[in-house]
Amino acid sequence: MGTVQYPLTVLYCGNCTLPIEYCEYHPEHDKCKQWLEKNLPDEFEKILIVNDALDEEGGEEKKRQKRGGKGVVKSRKKEEGPKVVYISRAPRGKKKSVTVVQGLSSFDIDLKVASKFFGTKFACGSSVTGEDEIVIQGDVKDDLFDVIPDKWPVIDEDFIEDLGDQKR
């Protein structure tokens, strides 16, 4: 047997909050090394010695996991384009049409909330169809020029652009 003394004291990394033996499996292993070197230099030396011994044995570079799991979550950056709301009408069937609203998310408006608002306001169906697109059943394009600035004062009437009739 070994010389294990209980209770065990486990040292945790300040960067990834894992036990220091498992830091090498964290996506930001370099930051963990920096933290270890700064805060626990003795443990850092031990880990370096173990890693050097593995390299001399011909141990391959560890491959990082590419798929599955969360890893490092990258925040999506919204493209800083012109802040404009586009309103258009598209045919649906022979006589019916839908109104398409695009560009609300550039004003940081929750599309689900906006869709629900439009559905109750116009007593019709409304849904989020694209990344930045709401489809409202019926031709309510003219009413939207008044409704949108009233509901969201951030959007002035000057920011709303009419694209006219579109083909779907």
Side-chain angles (χ1 to χ4, degrees), residues 62-107:
K62 288 200 167 64
K63 293 182 181 177
R64 296 276 172 227
Q65 183 176 354
K66 298 274 191 221
R67 299 177 55 191
K70 286 189 178 177
V72 178
V73 179
K74 294 180 182 175
S75 61
R76 263 188 357 197
K77 292 182 181 175
K78 294 180 181 173
E79 55 278 348
E80 290 295 323
K83 289 188 171 187
V84 181
V85 175
Y86 297 106
I87 299 174
S88 61
R89 187 174 62 214
R92 182 177 73 95
K94 291 185 179 178
K95 296 180 181 178
K96 299 185 182 216
S97 62
V98 294
T99 306
V100 180
V101 181
Q102 296 171 317
L104 285 177
S105 65
S106 63
F107 291 94

Side-chain angles (χ1 to χ4, degrees), residues 29-161:
H29 181 53
D30 297 332
K31 289 183 181 177
C32 293
K33 279 185 184 177
Q34 291 171 359
W35 186 88
L36 265 176
E37 191 173 17
K38 182 180 173 189
N39 297 303
L40 300 171
D42 297 338
E43 296 298 323
F44 180 71
E45 292 295 325
K46 288 180 190 174
I47 289 175
L48 275 182
I49 291 169
V50 170
N51 285 345
D52 289 343
L54 284 176
D55 289 342
E56 288 174 10
E57 290 176 15
E60 294 180 20
E61 181 71 26
K62 288 200 167 64
K63 293 182 181 177
R64 296 276 172 227
Q65 183 176 354
K66 298 274 191 221
R67 299 177 55 191
K70 286 189 178 177
V72 178
V73 179
K74 294 180 182 175
S75 61
R76 263 188 357 197
K77 292 182 181 175
K78 294 180 181 173
E79 55 278 348
E80 290 295 323
K83 289 188 171 187
V84 181
V85 175
Y86 297 106
I87 299 174
S88 61
R89 187 174 62 214
R92 182 177 73 95
K94 291 185 179 178
K95 296 180 181 178
K96 299 185 182 216
S97 62
V98 294
T99 306
V100 180
V101 181
Q102 296 171 317
L104 285 177
S105 65
S106 63
F107 291 94
D108 292 330
I109 294 172
D110 188 6
L111 295 181
K112 286 184 179 180
V113 173
S115 174
K116 179 84 171 164
F117 170 73
F118 292 142
T120 54
K121 177 74 176 174
F122 300 119
C124 64
S126 177
S127 61
V128 180
T129 56
E131 194 166 306
D132 189 15
E133 183 179 77
I134 296 176
V135 173
I136 306 167
Q137 292 179 1
D139 182 11
V140 293
K141 185 172 69 170
D142 299 332
D143 298 335
L144 285 173
F145 288 99
D146 299 327
V147 170
I148 291 176
D150 288 347
K151 174 72 174 167
W152 297 284
V154 178
I155 305 173
D156 195 56
E157 282 190 44
D158 301 335
F159 295 136
I160 302 174
E161 199 170 303

